[in-house]
Amino acid sequence: QVQLAESGGGSVQTGGSLRLSCAFSGTNDNPKCVGWFRQARGAEREGVAVAFSGGGSPFYADSVKGRFTASRDDAKNILYLQMNSLEPEDTAMYYCGAREAPNLVWCTRYARDYAYWGQGTQVTVSS
């Protein structure tokens, strides 16, 4: 079991910044993929940035490359998402998802591959 808790959402204007935090904990220390996904109203949940606890470069969706940065605090088991140059198209509920995984290849962009989810945090960007 993996428990996830997101925080840091809010409302900003176009061009603004937010930092999301995902605190994760579990009953074991198995390697995991932990990532940020988002779901806009009426749309499917999509992968934004996914990282592997064993290291390696995070995956980023093309729409956020150069604007969003995922980073890990391994001591605290927190995954951050620094979001800069926000656009109205970034408006969505942002979720933290996790799956146990033997290696980085398992860290896909597809929400269907992830078994554990937080409650989500809303990000709203106004023009």
Side-chain angles (χ1 to χ4, degrees):
Q1 289 287 337
V2 180
Q3 291 80 44
L4 303 154
E6 305 96 334
S7 60
S11 297
V12 297
Q13 293 187 326
T14 298
S17 298
L18 285 171
R19 189 176 80 156
L20 306 182
S21 299
C22 170
F24 58 93
S25 60
T27 56
N28 59 59
D29 292 327
N30 291 343
K32 300 175 181 59
C33 302
V34 183
W36 287 100
F37 298 76
R38 67 186 182 187
Q39 188 166 19
R41 188 170 299 180
E44 293 186 356
R45 194 171 296 188
E46 62 173 353
V48 174
V50 182
F52 179 56
S53 63
S57 299
F59 153 82
Y60 292 99
D62 288 342
S63 59
V64 306
K65 283 181 181 176
R67 300 188 298 122
F68 291 10
T69 303
S71 60
R72 302 192 328 262
D73 183 330
D74 293 332
K76 298 180 180 179
N77 281 349
I78 297 176
L79 179 69
Y80 298 102
L81 185 67
Q82 178 66 43
M83 305 187 296
N84 298 328
S85 301
L86 283 162
E87 304 167 350
E89 292 73 21
D90 296 316
T91 295
M93 184 71 81
Y94 282 70
Y95 296 91
C96 190
R99 69 180 304 192
E100 295 185 347
N103 56 57
L104 180 60
V105 174
W106 286 54
C107 301
T108 72
R109 69 186 70 185
Y110 304 112
R112 63 176 181 262
D113 293 336
Y114 291 75
Y116 306 103
W117 295 96
Q119 294 299 308
T121 185
Q122 179 67 37
V123 172
T124 302
V125 185
S126 58
S127 57

